Amino acid sequence: MTAPTLPGLAPAAPTPVAPRPGSRAARMALPRSVDVLKEIAAEYGVCVRPLAMRRTDLDTGLTEVIDLPCGATREDKCAPCAKKNRRLRQAQIREGWHRDDEPLPGPEPATEAQKSLILFRAHLEFSRDEAVRAAQWDQVTDLDEAIREVEEAIAAEGLRGRVGPPHASVDEDQDDEPGRRRKRSTRRRQDAPELPRRKVERRTVGKTYTALDGSTFRPSMWLTLTLDSYGPVRPDGTPLNPDRYDYRRAAWDAVHFPRLLDRFWQNLRRCEGWNVQYAGCVEPQRRLAPHAHFAIRGTIPRDVLRTVAAATYHQVWWPAVNVQRYTLDRLPVWDDQAAAWIDPDTREPLTTWTEALDAIDDDPDAEPVHVVRFGAQVDARGVMPGTEDAERTIRYVTKYITKHTGDVHKATTERQRKHLDRLWQQLQLTPCTERCANWLLYGVQPKKAHAKLKPGRCKGKVHQRDTLGIGGRRILISRDWSGKTLADHKHDVRAWVRALLGATTDSATAGQLVDDQGATAERIRHAWELARPDDPDVGPLAHRLMRSISERARWRSELLAAKDRAAQGSTDLSATQHSAQHDGEGTQ
């Protein structure tokens, strides 16, 4: 029997002993040089998995291998490229959030040459209609060719879009019924409140307020929209009772959440009467249901936002999925002769997609298979431009865009892992699109069915464990937010760096020419092709990374020196102006 230890005399914890020098434990404790190289690459913003591109000069025949960044948007693939993309999104949100002018001016007036081309296209349309009425099909063919050439000239002249839809070819079978677009009733549901509808003005700038001292300011807003509840949950996001948690509705809501957001902005613009602009990100909550954070230009009353969110819904008019007719162990089979999926027992073909939708159209009492709605929680607050709150909000909106949705909230407990698995299993059986293979589980052939479909194994992103139903469109930015695309913002960053360093030309403009009309045309001088890693002129990845790190370190030093010179120049200029003002006051 072991004697009990007296209180306060318990043996102390063993002191960790340093491994013996030269032993394997001592060697394993040393950092790996390859890992240190990648850490330094991430510190300097160098892509850790660059694409080796071979560039050939068509004039001299000189060939060289150039590393281009992979452009990944996820940290698990390439952290430097993902962080660069995140900073670019932050700049995009920052530039368009508190604008006090319209980002996109109206289109320029058409030139006389453009008007003459449109008039000539109208004459050809008139001649073609007369030839069709007279059944002169040889002239119709010639006129179609002339119309094609004129439309190419119209596009080359600088006009956007098509003048009119293309004509059907004469050789096409006229007996075939063309595809018709299905129309649903636009009458609002009885369980949704009515919303006022106004004519939307062509205005994207918010309201300007005037203070008591006469100063004006134009605040903006930050908005968070969430989905409805599927059952009570714990603080860690897991349900109190998993058997009563509505995983099916959670999966369907996650798949169709982007459509619901589109409906919200459409209703908000019609209710407010102006073109509301937004920029935001979709991410999962701790309970794994998606919600969205948005930066809104201008201000909107909170009561209006809550009313519009309560009145917004999206109806999914798909075939019924109440009964799962087949399981993963017993699936329909493909019949090559009938070119259709058939029942494995009765050998009868399954209902086609067109037949299933026709049954819905013919049923006057048909109801949508699913209706997506927002939850009661709508968080909105005002944000003043140029404040730390605005910068903090931009960082919060873009906080998780470099991560997979499944990695935003790590499952650390067994209860969280089981909750994630149950939601993922439901998503694997939920149809994602009209062509999803999961429709076969419910006895319906998907649209454009083929023999390679695998029910329960659809390759859509919403079915993956890393996405949890948020398969795409995580970054949502309206068209008139900043008036620029992401490529335009990248160009602005490069132009700022070149202006700061005093560089006048670069590789993007060195090969450009000017045509006879004064427009800039780029002469093709280089041919690009993807180099293989085992090509003799492609060096080891470690050597390429070290060269890129050295080059980036020199660029950073030059950029910091240019910033210091610019700051010193502005300081000297302000000191000179102050001295001149002081001298002027002394002479008076």
Side-chain angles (χ1 to χ4, degrees):
M1 181 176 180
T2 305
T5 305
L6 295 177
L9 299 179
T15 304
V17 180
R20 178 180 57 83
S23 63
R24 182 178 183 275
R27 292 195 303 271
M28 295 300 293
L30 298 176
R32 296 177 59 194
S33 57
V34 177
D35 296 337
V36 176
L37 178 64
K38 292 183 177 180
E39 291 178 4
I40 297 176
E43 179 182 351
Y44 281 91
V46 176
C47 177
V48 297
R49 45 173 234 172
L51 299 177
M53 300 293 296
R54 184 179 293 105
R55 188 181 69 175
T56 303
D57 193 324
L58 300 180
D59 294 340
T60 63
L62 179 63
T63 301
E64 59 178 339
V65 177
I66 299 178
D67 287 335
L68 298 181
C70 65
T73 58
R74 298 288 180 266
E75 288 183 351
D76 55 350
K77 295 182 178 179
C78 181
C81 290
K83 292 180 180 179
K84 184 185 301 182
N85 179 74
R86 181 171 179 260
R87 290 193 298 268
L88 199 63
R89 289 295 187 183
Q90 290 177 349
Q92 187 180 22
I93 295 175
R94 187 180 299 109
E95 183 172 342
W97 195 1
H98 304 284
R99 292 184 68 105
D100 55 0
D101 59 340
E102 297 296 337
L104 288 177
E108 299 177 357
T111 62
E112 293 299 329
Q114 294 171 347
K115 292 180 180 179
S116 61
L117 284 174
I118 297 296
L119 181 60
F120 184 49
R121 173 67 176 84
H123 291 327
L124 291 178
E125 185 67 24
F126 181 81
S127 301
R128 188 187 187 280
D129 183 68
E130 286 188 339
V132 170
R133 292 174 181 273
Q136 299 174 350
W137 305 116
D138 53 344
Q139 295 186 13
V140 171
T141 303
D142 296 338
L143 288 171
D144 286 343
E145 180 65 21
I147 288 174
R148 184 184 63 81
E149 295 177 357
V150 172
E151 288 184 348
E152 291 179 357
I154 290 174
E157 191 64 26
L159 290 174
R160 291 184 292 118
R162 285 181 173 269
V163 183
H167 290 284
S169 176
V170 179
D171 298 332
E172 292 181 358
D173 189 5
Q174 301 294 334
D175 296 334
D176 294 342
E177 182 182 359
R180 58 185 178 88
R181 180 180 178 182
R182 298 181 182 274
K183 298 181 179 180
R184 303 294 180 187
S185 175
T186 58
R187 188 176 62 179
R188 292 187 58 82
R189 296 178 60 92
Q190 298 297 323
D191 54 356
E194 293 290 339
L195 287 174
R197 183 166 182 171
R198 305 174 185 174
K199 184 178 180 180
V200 180
E201 302 178 6
R202 299 187 61 179
R203 172 175 63 89
T204 64
V205 179
K207 182 180 179 181
T208 302
Y209 297 88
T210 304
L212 296 178
D213 56 356
S215 61
T216 60
F217 57 96
R218 194 191 302 268
S220 295
M221 297 195 71
W222 177 75
L223 174 67
T224 299
L225 297 172
T226 61
L227 287 172
D228 199 2
S229 174
Y230 311 109
V233 295
R234 297 185 174 90
D236 60 354
T238 58
L240 292 176
N241 190 348
D243 297 334
R244 295 186 178 181
Y245 194 82
D246 197 346
Y247 283 100
R248 178 193 176 279
R249 189 162 63 92
W252 278 79
D253 285 356
V255 171
H256 299 279
F257 187 58
R259 296 289 186 89
L260 182 64
L261 293 176
D262 293 341
R263 292 285 185 181
F264 172 80
W265 294 114
Q266 183 184 30
N267 292 340
L268 183 62
R269 287 168 177 169
R270 291 176 177 176
C271 182
E272 279 291 292
W274 57 284
N275 191 7
V276 182
Q277 297 298 301
Y278 59 88
C281 178
V282 178
E283 62 187 34
Q285 294 179 293
R286 191 170 297 277
R287 57 173 179 156
L288 304 183
H291 67 155
H293 302 294
F294 288 104
I296 304 178
R297 185 187 305 158
T299 56
I300 300 173
R302 292 179 176 83
D303 293 339
V304 174
L305 293 173
R306 296 190 182 96
T307 303
V308 173
T312 300
Y313 59 89
H314 172 64
Q315 300 182 121
V316 184
W317 290 95
W318 279 352
V321 291
N322 298 330
V323 179
Q324 183 176 337
R325 296 178 53 185
Y326 303 96
T327 61
L328 298 180
D329 299 333
R330 177 181 170 273
L331 295 173
V333 295
W334 175 260
D335 188 353
D336 292 330
Q337 295 181 353
W341 288 87
I342 62 175
D343 187 276
D345 299 330
T346 63
R347 314 301 295 181
E348 292 292 333
L350 302 183
T351 304
T352 64
W353 184 257
T354 303
E355 294 173 350
L357 294 187
D358 289 341
I360 298 176
D361 295 340
D362 297 338
D363 186 3
D365 299 329
E367 293 290 337
V369 67
H370 186 72
V371 180
V372 194
R373 301 177 185 272
F374 288 111
Q377 182 180 0
V378 178
D379 186 12
R381 60 181 175 85
V383 180
M384 292 298 298
T387 60
E388 178 59 28
D389 187 22
E391 292 297 323
R392 189 188 310 111
T393 305
I394 293 175
R395 292 192 298 268
Y396 185 79
V397 170
T398 59
K399 183 178 181 180
Y400 296 113
I401 65 173
T402 61
K403 298 179 180 295
H404 279 296
T405 52
D407 298 334
V408 171
H409 303 289
K410 288 289 187 180
T412 57
T413 63
E414 186 65 23
R415 187 168 58 237
Q416 291 176 333
R417 282 188 286 268
K418 289 183 178 179
H419 174 56
L420 191 150
D421 290 338
R422 287 189 291 266
L423 178 60
W424 179 45
Q425 291 174 3
Q426 186 63 43
L427 284 169
Q428 285 182 304
L429 304 178
T430 302
C432 58
T433 61
E434 298 175 348
R435 303 184 183 183
C436 182
N438 290 342
W439 284 112
L440 297 174
L441 299 174
Y442 303 97
V444 177
Q445 299 187 61
K447 188 177 182 179
K448 296 185 179 181
H450 52 84
K452 296 182 180 180
L453 296 177
K454 295 181 179 180
R457 299 180 181 179
C458 179
K459 295 183 179 180
K461 291 185 178 180
V462 299
H463 303 295
Q464 300 176 7
R465 187 186 179 91
D466 293 335
T467 61
L468 296 179
I470 311 175
R473 298 183 61 190
R474 288 189 63 190
I475 305 297
L476 305 175
I477 298 180
S478 54
R479 293 180 180 271
D480 298 336
W481 177 255
S482 63
K484 302 176 184 178
T485 62
L486 205 59
D488 296 333
H489 287 282
K490 292 180 182 178
H491 178 77
D492 292 344
V493 173
R494 290 195 297 266
W496 177 81
V497 174
R498 290 197 303 268
L500 187 62
L501 297 177
T504 56
T505 59
D506 62 354
S507 58
T509 59
Q512 290 184 352
L513 301 177
V514 177
D515 58 11
D516 54 355
Q517 298 180 356
T520 302
E522 185 175 355
R523 179 170 63 89
I524 300 177
R525 181 179 175 182
H526 299 95
W528 295 80
E529 63 177 346
L530 183 64
R532 296 176 58 87
D534 53 354
D535 288 345
D537 55 346
V538 179
L541 178 59
H543 293 175
R544 293 153 53 197
L545 285 180
M546 286 187 285
R547 290 197 299 266
S548 299
I549 290 173
S550 176
E551 185 179 21
R552 186 60 62 88
R554 296 180 182 182
W555 288 356
R556 180 175 293 185
S557 300
E558 295 178 3
L559 187 62
L560 292 177
K563 286 183 177 180
D564 293 339
R565 290 194 299 268
Q568 184 65 28
S570 61
T571 303
D572 296 341
L573 180 60
S574 61
T576 303
Q577 294 176 351
H578 178 72
S579 177
Q581 182 180 4
H582 180 72
D583 294 342
E585 293 176 354
T587 58
Q588 292 179 358

